[in-house]
Amino acid sequence: SGKPSLVGLECLSRGPAGTAFANAEALFAYARYKRAEPVVDQECITLALKAASRVPEDVFISVNAHASTLSRCSDFANWLCSCARSNSIAFNRLTVEIVEHAPVWNKVEFLRALGDLRQAGIKIALDDLGLGHSNYQMIVDARPDYFKIDRYSIHGCFLDKQRQAVVSSIAKLAADLQGRVVAEGVEGPMTFRNYSRSALTSSRAFCSARRYGLRSSAQSRPRPWLRNNSPAKNTAGCTVW
């Protein structure tokens, strides 16, 4: 129909406002330096699911986790299910986005964790596809339900033949593997219309992504797609897919 619709929310993490770690890249770079990805990932997911418990039940919820977190936390799937259960979130509404800037430490444990997540009905997404270690090997190992293409490849691709070729190849790969494509960086009605008219979106594989704020406090209104707040301490940002 060419009209945008709300599909899901990606819970984004920020550090304490007013500090160097308010920026997510700085926060997680330091966590990786300290080999503390599991601690930071689980704390962020805990806050995110608490905030997302007020999201309508027909909207799926996506959380981010390093591949190293899955490979080092043997009970990650059970922990995530327990966290979702305590916030009355059905497991089949959850998607875990795999983020990785370094090779997987323990591939056996990583694959076991993915299997446990799937068995619980939780979907898998690969974030920033084509960047870092989100490569073909990760696609084969993770067998994602969602292929998220970074905004670098998406931005202006309907006018750029090189970007268009990259995005088209990923879309074909996703279709062959029975996955869906999420295009990051499609913001604003005009940009959405351009993609809707593009041959790249004829299969309805692409969804829009825009950031909104959803405070983790109990007093917040549960309609994040109508608000655009500045991040604050212990705030879970949400991206509309």
Side-chain angles (χ1 to χ4, degrees):
S1 65
K3 296 182 179 179
S5 60
L6 180 65
V7 177
L9 299 175
E10 178 189 0
C11 300
L12 303 176
S13 303
R14 298 290 183 268
T19 72
F21 298 117
N23 178 281
E25 292 183 4
L27 173 67
F28 287 103
Y30 187 73
R32 288 189 290 271
Y33 173 72
K34 290 293 188 178
R35 298 178 61 179
E37 302 98 305
V39 175
V40 176
D41 282 347
Q42 289 181 307
E43 178 64 17
C44 289
I45 291 172
T46 298
L47 291 173
L49 293 187
K50 180 180 179 181
S53 64
R54 301 182 303 281
V55 172
E57 293 183 359
D58 61 344
V59 175
F60 77 74
I61 299 164
S62 178
V63 296
N64 293 272
H66 287 80
S68 53
T69 294
L70 271 65
S71 67
R72 292 163 58 189
C73 297
S74 59
D75 205 34
F76 180 83
N78 286 334
W79 171 83
L80 180 59
C81 288
S82 176
C83 190
R85 189 182 299 110
S86 65
N87 289 287
S88 301
I89 297 174
F91 304 159
N92 61 6
R93 291 179 59 201
L94 292 177
T95 295
V96 173
E97 290 193 26
I98 307 300
V99 182
E100 198 49 86
H101 298 267
V104 176
W105 291 10
N106 187 325
K107 187 173 180 178
V108 173
E109 291 299 324
F110 173 67
L111 296 178
R112 181 178 290 117
L114 289 178
D116 291 342
L117 290 170
R118 286 198 177 89
Q119 189 172 11
I122 298 170
K123 292 182 174 61
I124 305 297
L126 279 187
D127 198 17
D128 296 336
L129 197 62
L131 298 180
H133 289 267
S134 290
N135 50 31
Y136 285 110
Q137 180 178 335
M138 183 63 84
I139 291 173
V140 172
D141 290 342
R143 295 183 289 115
D145 300 285
Y146 296 101
F147 293 64
K148 293 192 68 180
I149 308 178
D150 184 74
R151 66 173 53 239
Y152 177 83
S153 298
I154 290 298
H155 183 68
C157 80
F158 55 92
L159 297 175
D160 186 324
K161 290 185 177 180
Q162 291 181 321
R163 283 181 166 86
Q164 190 173 120
V166 170
V167 173
S168 294
S169 67
I170 295 175
K172 183 180 185 304
L173 178 62
D176 290 343
L177 298 177
Q178 299 181 325
R180 297 187 64 191
V181 173
V182 175
E184 296 187 308
V186 183
E187 300 177 355
M190 182 175 294
T191 307
F192 182 84
R193 284 196 296 271
N194 286 332
Y195 280 93
S196 297
R197 295 166 184 163
S198 169
L200 295 176
T201 61
S202 60
S203 63
R204 297 182 182 179
F206 294 88
C207 303
S208 172
R210 182 182 176 187
R211 294 181 182 178
Y212 290 85
L214 176 62
R215 294 183 184 277
S216 59
S217 65
Q219 290 75 26
S220 297
R221 297 178 64 187
R223 297 198 296 177
W225 51 92
L226 298 179
R227 300 167 59 195
N228 191 358
N229 301 329
S230 300
K233 186 174 182 179
N234 291 342
T235 295
C238 289
T239 296
V240 178
W241 277 14

